[in-house]
Amino acid sequence: MSAPRTPRKLFDRLSLPERTFVADALRTETVGGVLLLTAAIAALAWANIPALHGSYESVSHFHFGPEALGLHLSVAHWAADGLLAVFFFVAGIELKRELVAGDLKDPKAAALPVVAALCGMAAPALVYTLTNLAQGGSLAGWAVPTATDIAFALAVLAVIGTSLPSALRAFLLTLAVVDDLFAILIIAVFFTDSLNFAALGGAAVGLAVFWLLLRKGVRGWYVYVPLALVIWGLMYNSGVHATIAGVAMGLMLRCHRRDGEEHSPGEHIEHLVRPLSAGLAVPLFALFSAGVSVSGGALADVFTRPETLGVVLGLVVGKTLGIFGGTWLTARFTRASLSDELAWADVFAVATLAGIGFTVSLLIGELAFEGDAALTDEVKAAVLTGSLIAACLAMVLLRIRNTKYRRLTEAEERDEDLSGIPDIYEEDDPAYHLRMAAIYDRKAAEHRRIAQEKTAERHGLAEVPGGAGEEDDGPA
């Protein structure tokens, strides 16, 4: 008889290579998230301090670039279309790595983040649409609350100091990667008004050359960086959002390792470019996109105007229910069970954290209401408000379970045999148990030596009073 099949566990322990990769990626994103948070606060201060407001507008709207090439853009425009292309380039590499070497390689493992991401985008769009249909608002912003900002979410985790288990962090990272992919598709399909087919054809030819050079093994940044700039410029002029060029080039990189390779080219380039994306590109975008005027009246309007209320409810309610519901449905229909170390409350807290939509939400907000500067600023304020509410809710929910998370993290990181590999990953290795036996033997020998010394000291002290009594036996 065949052995009964063990039911699959959701959010079970990661493999050691995947855990190492996730830890490195999250470390960079966390630092970038703190910089992103700092940039957003700086933008709000710069735009709302009366003495500085004028300079913020002047810098944001300052134009530069070759006009003959159609690239005479404002600073804010360069940040949104140029710097974010770097962000989406990294997102493309992440997605490719997940598809060929990560969790998305296994269809069963991929089902959870894909279903959760899809539900986590459909539910906010539905909440926004229903809110605006009920109150007669514009449906143009339905896509604004659909995106999760992983860097901002990780910054929140860093601030509140939660020791979220690596499986939940990996789920959040993978979810955000899939989320970014669908956000790119939304931008490409729904926010492309007109096409310049000549420029689009040139971009396609450039991408083909880029792909051929990679396949031929051509190396050198001086080849790829100029080519990437040409592709980006043609994509921008084609009418398709220029960030699509970034993700397309990221997806072309090889992310599986060949014999003798410590890292694939995609992993190597991601390691080089990710700090540039997280530490410079995204914070600068935030600096020139998050600077909206905030006042008591403006904040009140966020909860009264249907477009802005739809964004807030989409992020706070739609994201949470969508991701949590998608995860529960995956468990229900695949007959998978939750990891023994976690509870559904943990999944709900992470789903709430995913309601932090910042970078891509701000970008889609600019595209959705292009031409209406007042409404664009109000939608940006709604994104900031909804993200702040989601962050506060996540803080409360995660802090409640933080003691449990800390114990799980300590167990994941314990390395008593000092092998450089956490003990939890060596439990099936006989050599590990022999090392631990030797360690415990040395400890036992040390404790026996100490016990003998203490016993000798105790006996020596006990003989002193008796000896004194024998020498002084007579009457006083």
Side-chain angles (χ1 to χ4, degrees), residues 286-326:
L287 183 64
F288 293 107
S289 291
V292 296
S293 297
V294 178
S295 63
L299 292 176
D301 289 342
V302 166
F303 296 98
T304 56
R305 182 159 186 160
E307 293 87 354
T308 52
L309 179 61
V311 169
V312 173
L313 293 178
L315 289 170
V316 177
V317 178
K319 267 291 182 184
T320 303
L321 295 182
I323 293 173
F324 181 80

Side-chain angles (χ1 to χ4, degrees), residues 235 271 307 360 382 396 399 412 436 445:
M235 189 69 76
H271 180 73
E307 293 87 354
V360 180
V396 173
R399 291 292 291 179
E412 285 183 356
M436 290 304 300

